Amino acid sequence: MTFPRPSTRAVAATLLAAALGVLAPACSSGSSDAKPTDTKVSLGGAAEVDKSTTTSAAPTTTVAPVPTGLPDQEAAAKKLYDAWFANDKVTAATVADPMAVDAMWKTAKGDYSLYNHCSTGEFDTSGCLFRGNNGTIQIDLEKRNGNWVVAGAFYSDPSSGG
């Protein structure tokens, strides 16, 4: 039985793949410095590959700080409200979980005031309502390590009926 002779292209492609497989580990270094690496592979003049790469350090991720809260639930809710009003997410993050901060920033701009008082916090949870012409903001708090932290915020638009 005879096998057909492979084409020159097939041989070049196989050699190219093998060459890249051998050279690929040499292109990545353990260094965190990003430096370009130029590699040229010549396969008997039949094919040439110009592969320029840049290696870089692993991407960095940021973790939101854990809110410390405040000893008084109304003070924690008011600090979140004041931070929202001043468009200061850094200060908001000191008393509120990241999801609560994001939810608070979805509130329609306007002036709101604390309605009556926050609930008693009897079971280490509390709620505060801020009311204004643009709607109602509900702030839910949890007691953590002796301080009150905003665990959630919800905005209710008066025109939505809710």
Side-chain angles (χ1 to χ4, degrees):
M1 175 180 252
T2 60
F3 294 101
R5 184 172 174 215
S7 71
T8 305
R9 282 189 179 165
V11 171
T14 303
L15 290 174
L16 177 62
L20 289 176
V22 170
L23 293 176
C27 290
S28 64
S29 68
S31 170
S32 63
D33 296 332
K35 295 180 181 175
T37 303
D38 293 332
T39 304
K40 285 193 178 190
V41 178
S42 181
L43 302 173
E48 186 176 290
V49 175
D50 183 4
K51 182 179 178 192
S52 298
T53 60
T54 302
T55 58
S56 62
T60 58
T61 57
T62 56
V63 177
V66 175
T68 56
L70 292 172
D72 180 71
Q73 64 217 28
E74 285 185 26
K78 183 82 169 102
K79 188 168 184 176
L80 173 63
Y81 173 82
D82 290 343
W84 165 79
F85 195 81
N87 197 26
D88 181 0
K89 286 188 175 186
V90 172
T91 298
T94 64
V95 295
D97 289 336
M99 289 180 63
V101 172
D102 290 344
M104 187 69 179
W105 257 252
K106 294 178 183 173
T107 299
K109 293 295 180 191
D111 288 323
Y112 300 82
S113 58
L114 183 63
Y115 177 74
N116 205 354
H117 294 283
C118 296
S119 64
T120 63
E122 182 179 3
F123 299 104
D124 290 341
T125 61
S126 183
C128 305
L129 293 177
F130 287 77
R131 298 184 72 186
N133 289 336
N134 292 336
T136 302
I137 305 167
Q138 176 182 324
I139 296 178
D140 299 323
L141 300 108
E142 296 176 352
K143 197 162 199 179
R144 300 180 192 162
N145 300 320
N147 282 339
W148 289 96
V149 174
V150 177
F154 178 77
Y155 168 71
S156 177
D157 183 342
S159 65
S160 69

